[in-house]
Amino acid sequence: MGGWDRVRPSRSTARLGGNSSMNERVQSSRTIRLGRVTPQAPGHRTIFCNDREANSPVRFMGNSISTTKYNFFTFLPKGLFEQFRRVANLYFLTISILSATKISPVSPITNVVPLSLVLFVSLVKEAFEDWKRFQNDMAVNNNLIDVLQDQRWEPIPWKKLQVGDIVRVKQDGFFPADLLFLAGTNPDGVCYTETANLDGETNLKIRKAVERTWDYLTPEKASEFKGEVQCEQPNNSLYTFTGNLILQKQTLPLTPNQIMLRGCSLRNTEYIVGAVIFTGHETKVMMNAMNVPSKRSTFERKLDKLILTLFGVLFTMCLIGAIGSGVFIDRKYYYLALTKSVDDQFNPDNRFLVALLTMFTLITLYSSIIPISLYVSIEMVKFIQSTQFINKDLHMYHTETNTPALARTSNLNEELGQVEYIFSDKTGTLTRNLMEFFKCSIGGEVYGTGVTEIEKGIAQRNGLKVEERNSDNAMHEKGFNFDDARLMRGAWRNEPNPDVCKEFFRCLAICHTVLPEGQESPEKITYQAASPDEAALVTAAKNFGFFFYRRTPTMIYVRESHIEKIGKIQDVSYEILNVLEFNSTRKRQSVVCRYPDGRLVLYCKGADSVIFERLADVSDDLKKVTREHLEQFGSSGLRTLCLAYRDLHPDMYENWNEKFVQAKSSLRDREKKLDEVSELIEKDLILIGCTAIEDKLQEGVPACIETLSRAGIKIWVLTGDKMETAINIAYACNLINNGMKQFMVSSETDAIRAVEDRGDQVEIARFIKEHVKKELKKCLEEAQHHLQTLSGPKLALVIDGKCLMYALDPSLRVMLLNLSLNCTSVVCCRVSPLQKAQVTSLVKKGGQKITLSIGDGANDVSMIQAAHIGIGISGMEGMQAVMASDFAIAQFRFLTDLLLVHGRWSYLRLCKVVTYFFYKNLTFTLTQFWFTFQTGFSGQRFYDDWFQSLYNVIFTALPVIIVGLFDKDVSATLSKKYPQLYREGIRNVFFKWRVVAIWAFFSIYQSLIFYHFVTTSSKSAKNSSGKMFGLWDVSTMAFTCVVVTVNLRLLLMCNSITRWHYISVGGSILAWFVFIFIYSGIMTPMDRQENVYFTIYVLMSTFYFYIAILLVPIVALLGDFVYQGIQRWFFPYDYQIIQEIHRHEIDNTSQTDFLEIGNHLTEAEARRYALSQLPQERSKHTGFAFDSPGYESFFAAQLGIYAPQKAWDVARRASMRSRPKIPLKK
Amino acid sequence: MSTNTASSSSAAAGSADSSAPRRNSKRPKYSRFTQQELPACKPILTPKWVISAFLLVSVVFIPIGVASLFASRDVVEIVDRYETDCIPPPNRSDRNDKVKYIQSSGNKTCIRSLTVPKRMKHPIYVYYQLDNFYQNHRRYVKSRSDTQLKSNSSADDVSSCKPEDNADGRPIVPCGLIAWSLFNDTYNFSRNNQQLNVNKKHISWKSDRENKFGKDVYPTNFQNGTLKGGASLDPLIPLSEQEDLIVWMRTAALPTFRKLYGKIEVDLLENDTIQVILENNYNTYSFDGKKKLVLSTTSWLGGKNDFLGIAYLTVGGLCFVLALTFTVVYLVKPRRLGDPSYLSWNRNPGGR
């Protein structure tokens, strides 16, 4: 901060000297300020750029962000509050207080010690997790950014940035706050930003500074900038901004075009200078992020229900005991000395009061029915699961990005085992955002030998081995992944149709709006395109020998090789006469060009549907063959474009060009007129072929999705992309295939367009709503029809953002939900971050299903937070998604491991832990309950205080944690080989009321055995000396039986028994004996009753002890054993069958197992697959998808904020930029 | 342990060596623990196992059961319930009469004669058995002071003894309801008019006698209150030698309990008739409690109690039956181990 201290004095002296600039500012401002202390009007904020002192009275928020839950001071109160939100903890607090009173039969230490332990461990865990969040925040806050200080750029950490500062952001740097764009190195005040982190869109956005500020680029100049910004208060709307820049008494309106948002990054611009307007939590991206809610798993909520049930049981038990005590109490038991002056609790004169007080006594006595160490055990188990197993799993370590998996919270491990719906972002999550030219069809011939992921998947499912054909001459660079010797290195000249090939390549090289950058050599050049598809196509042309290297406003220069003969190179310049640009209605793009020899050609590329309509009537065969190829490409998940050309007659062209120029210069409805004129010339086309571009998927995505869907998980894709792109990816990921019945709800219909053209907002809304309603109804009816027929096709729903907006309306929501829950896959395209969250919570709340959201960008944050489980893709640049997520993994495919292995195991383990806890505490407490009946309902404790308090903490604590950590039903490999096993988790098979009831039944059975066997058998003398046992001998005996049995019962429920199981079970039983040997062997001066003095020695001196210790546990376990035997043999769980199938295999953990995953196909699946391969009557997907350069954000367009950048502007700018460069080279 | 991990890391495809030299690598280190590959045995409860377990249990249990039952049957036990018979017939009509009788100060001697059904070898243990007496009532169990019993110096420690804590402003030793309600029926045995000695030494557990009841603690101020609960104690004998009190104060677990009264150290022959001269002092009539006199020999397993033997035999037999049933059922309705057609997704194919 030293810099600022230095600045301030100089500033103030300047102000003293030059009052004029000050006055200027005061006058220019609309708000009247007296000594600058008036608070801001709530409607807007005023920012003085480059003047920290002037801004200081307003106290703008700093730029540091914090995502932590607690701070140093709030930690204890807030943390304790969080802990006591748990019923059980609150209960134990009450019991602890209660047990300090006189009515308690147990001493308060019994409850206070375990409770404190529980709270301590939980708080330490919370603190640790929050600390890690804090460190993450610090990493972000301490990024460096150049700020203007003393006419120099000084790097300071992000967190020190303040509103009004002037900052410099270099190429590929992230914007540290919401900035007002003042100046950039590009000559026309333009810069490019990538907003992928914000909305997932990958095409670069153009931002343009207000012309008056273009000069403030150097530090010297920038320090003169003394503007005042009046703008709206911080809000979360990403695509709107209103404000004014008041500069030297001039008011300049500001639009979103000048705003650069935090989270975006600068591209293709050396550096820019901007003024900070919103900081820290007030930036739009942070305002978009919801508060981090502390997520609790559904499992835990169900657990609360179980606990509540236990409370019910407890209450019933106490009530029975209390009524009993009221009835029992009588003066006839004279030895109890129930005189007139006896305590209220034993006063027979007021039986009601007796019952009431006994009720409280019994509550403290039976408090052990609520497992106190349950939560802390679960937390320990989950903590180790997440930090040791998930974070350190080598299967989830991504070597390329050096990123291991990261569990950011340990609350949700078991939730991972019950996920039914996955909501996935597309870009960066499913795809790598890398377009590669992959295949093509030229003149009815398919070229390209590559195999897509989805084809690999299909082949693997058919049991075929797919070998990578990586021939040596395969060319591979960014955007080009094509291998076919028939086309490369001029070999195409020997193909049947070399002329068509030539046209194909020329079309690729000419018909586009790409800018070349850098040196004009094939190796060094880079192509700047708004759409990666276009760059891929031009790169492809380059590799085929048609190297496009320069563009001027009217010319395209192509270096063509191998035209006349192999190896010959010539530069050809084509004059570009017209560009008929791309838009989403036209779905095509054309270029009219003149060859050097005067030939006039129109090259056109576009969607197959529009191109085929406009073909000349000849070449029917070619049409048919090409269509087949398109379908083939489309079903392999490739993005296709059709190429066509048309030779133009000069006269005809001149004629048309007049109309075109006219349309271009018209002021009203220019777009529409241009479209109409274009129609006139884009006809009678001759088909050349088609291209297939692979939107490169992340590694292993189709296989992962296939596995997950076999696991019963439904995957929805929510993307900001266009419908075509989204559908294409859905095909590529095998989410949709031609065998599915697809429902489309799209706003891209002629009717809607017509209404929209009329421009009446109310009418548009009404119309679209009607339309959506109609569509949904139709789809729902059809869906139900399909569901009724048994072997009906699977269903898929595709819906776009605009329709979704109306479909999410409360009146239609139910319909949408019903429809979408019946669909196997759902694709939502062009959705906003908010809608992503809405869809997620629709399924979460409306469908009562466990949901998981996965995404990588800031646009996914709200969705990640809305779902039960949020997963961020880590290892990329942006951290927003990871920061909001519960788990971070490097690759989508790691979901298989995360869900099928870790999630499933965690779920199984926790079910075991919880049911076992339930069992052991119920059993223990019930023995106490049976005893109450024989003590005149007085609430006498059966066990010693310390037995009862240590029962949960020592004698039965460790083994169950070991089970929570190590129990494995089937190995990780088998979990992935049989994804269907996961469905047991979705159906929540292991934590149903039925399961709990079975455990409860055996608890009752066992407790009866313990109590009655021990008491009945000890009624007579127990050794040859004829002496009798007392109460504490019997209770020690019973307790020994309970500890032994409960620990052995644990072994009976284990699926795998490691040495840790033996150690912990043996250790627990041993711990009991060691404890009782010491405890009953000593007498202490401390105030404790010597009840159990020497009991264990007395017991162990009798034969009876050994006979009983053999009998009772075995009888107690007999019931469970019989049940398990019958259950396993006659009603086996799936995992049990799998265990049996693989019973002879040792755990083979070598990595070769990985390759086999997915090969396994059950008969039913084989049949289903065969069915899906049968010819279908439906129209097939042909895979058209194209990110057009003119396409801007859907939201921006919808809100009518700024005019889209036209293709022509790109060309114009190309000329502006390249002009100074060309002479330099020549 | 270390050799173990070294050999197993080869399975992890050389993960250890590739990560070792690279600095800054976040690659997790391989360990069997974190990769969850700890060696484990995986028990599968196959029919073979189930049936053999049942058979094993029955094979072990039946002999033990037989042995226990024999031990129990060897014990000869004479039980005589006397609480009603020892009240003169006119006073038997209702409870109030009985209570009035027992609280009166007259002679309450009662003579019972018992016939020995079988030869009884010495030592023969004499017990009294009370019924419906809640020695395990919370108010009762608490009402004692262990510190006071242990040493003379803490005679004043009577806080837990209410209402039998002080009398005439001085602490009672031994205080509390338990001591106050000490059993006070006495038995004298004779065979053929020949006195049978009852040895009352060492009828309590040694640990109680030696550690819980002090040698220097003498009864003081005991049973001096308005109401007498039971027996009085000789103030000249230290508590550690008052074995009736020690036995009584080891409170029973259930409302029906036996306590050792003494030992007869001669053999009794079959058909011997034994006269019991009984002082019927103790009031169980208020709460309708039964009183029984028990003479019993012991075996290695203690007194007469068929329960363990029967339990063992029943469980052993049950396991045998279960083993048979399971065998039959498995033969009738067999299932191949690991039959994939039992998998839920194969049972209802195509099911969504």
Side-chain angles (χ1 to χ4, degrees), chain A residues 719-880:
Chain A
T719 171
D721 275 315
K722 288 187 308 168
M723 189 170 254
E724 287 90 356
T725 320
I727 292 175
N728 220 31
I729 285 302
Y731 265 88
C733 299
N734 210 6
L735 280 173
I736 300 183
N737 56 45
N738 284 330
M740 282 178 160
K741 170 76 194 156
Q742 296 167 25
F743 301 116
M744 303 262 190
V745 182
S746 166
S747 58
E748 296 276 314
T749 65
D750 291 336
I752 290 178
R753 236 176 259 132
V755 176
E756 275 177 339
D757 284 347
R758 266 177 263 145
D760 180 358
Q761 292 299 328
V762 182
E763 176 67 12
I764 292 172
R766 196 197 58 77
F767 187 83
I768 300 181
K769 192 171 171 184
E770 253 341 281
H771 167 78
V772 171
K773 192 173 175 180
K774 215 166 58 203
E775 287 284 313
L776 284 180
K777 206 174 227 162
K778 199 180 80 193
C779 294
L780 195 59
E781 276 164 14
E782 242 179 286
Q784 267 150 2
H785 172 74
H786 278 295
L787 285 177
Q788 276 156 11
T789 58
L790 197 70
S791 60
K794 288 190 176 176
L795 309 174
L797 173 70
V798 183
I799 188 165
D800 74 355
K802 211 185 278 183
C803 292
L804 198 60
M805 191 163 77
Y806 295 98
L808 285 170
D809 187 272
S811 58
L812 299 180
R813 202 182 280 168
V814 182
M815 226 194 284
L816 176 71
L817 190 67
N818 281 340
L819 176 62
S820 48
L821 291 189
N822 284 328
C823 293
T824 346
S825 31
V826 175
V827 178
C828 302
C829 37
R830 303 183 98 184
V831 289
S832 66
L834 185 66
Q835 280 178 321
K836 285 184 178 185
Q838 281 175 331
V839 171
T840 311
S841 40
L842 177 76
V843 175
K844 180 182 169 183
K845 300 223 175 77
Q848 295 291 323
K849 311 282 186 187
I850 312 265
T851 55
L852 178 148
S853 290
I854 177 166
D856 69 320
N859 59 329
D860 306 314
V861 166
S862 53
M863 159 172 102
I864 283 172
Q865 288 181 347
H868 287 101
I869 306 168
I871 295 192
I873 299 286
S874 54
M876 311 290 202
E877 287 161 351
M879 283 291 283
Q880 302 279 6

Side-chain angles (χ1 to χ4, degrees), chain A residues 335 392 1026 1031 1033 1107 1134, chain B residues 35 127 134 250-251 312 344:
Chain A
Y335 51 89
K392 296 197 176 168
L1031 165 61
D1033 307 292
I1107 298 271
D1134 290 337
Chain B
Q35 302 310 309
Y127 301 95
Y134 287 88
R250 196 176 183 98
T251 50
Y312 264 103
S344 66

Side-chain angles (χ1 to χ4, degrees), chain A residues 119-131:
Chain A
L119 290 181
F120 178 73
V121 173
S122 307
L123 286 179
V124 165
K125 191 204 114 200
E126 283 284 311
F128 182 76
E129 290 193 342
D130 218 40
W131 172 249

Side-chain angles (χ1 to χ4, degrees), chain A residues 243-307:
Chain A
N244 290 317
L245 173 67
I246 298 162
L247 194 62
Q248 289 150 12
K249 290 186 188 173
Q250 247 185 317
T251 302
L252 308 164
L254 299 175
T255 64
N257 235 342
Q258 282 87 43
I259 303 303
M260 295 180 298
L261 302 179
R262 181 180 178 136
C264 303
S265 56
L266 186 68
R267 293 277 182 266
N268 300 341
T269 311
E270 197 185 324
Y271 67 87
I272 60 109
V273 172
V276 178
I277 47 176
F278 298 135
T279 46
H281 287 279
E282 290 181 341
T283 55
K284 298 207 173 223
V285 61
M286 292 303 286
M287 299 279 281
N288 253 297
M290 299 180 214
N291 267 340
V292 181
S294 36
K295 283 185 189 173
R296 298 187 65 218
S297 65
T298 358
F299 184 85
E300 227 174 280
R301 245 171 277 140
K302 242 196 128 178
L303 184 58
D304 280 350
K305 269 189 213 158
L306 178 67
I307 300 278

Side-chain angles (χ1 to χ4, degrees), chain A residues 520 545 547-550 556-561 563 568-574 596 1226:
Chain A
E520 291 175 355
F547 172 36
F548 157 67
Y549 63 93
R550 191 187 303 160
I556 276 184
Y557 297 86
V558 180
R559 189 166 296 152
E560 300 183 346
S561 342
I563 297 293
K568 188 165 186 265
I569 298 172
Q570 62 187 45
D571 287 357
V572 186
S573 55
Y574 298 91
K1226 284 176 182 170

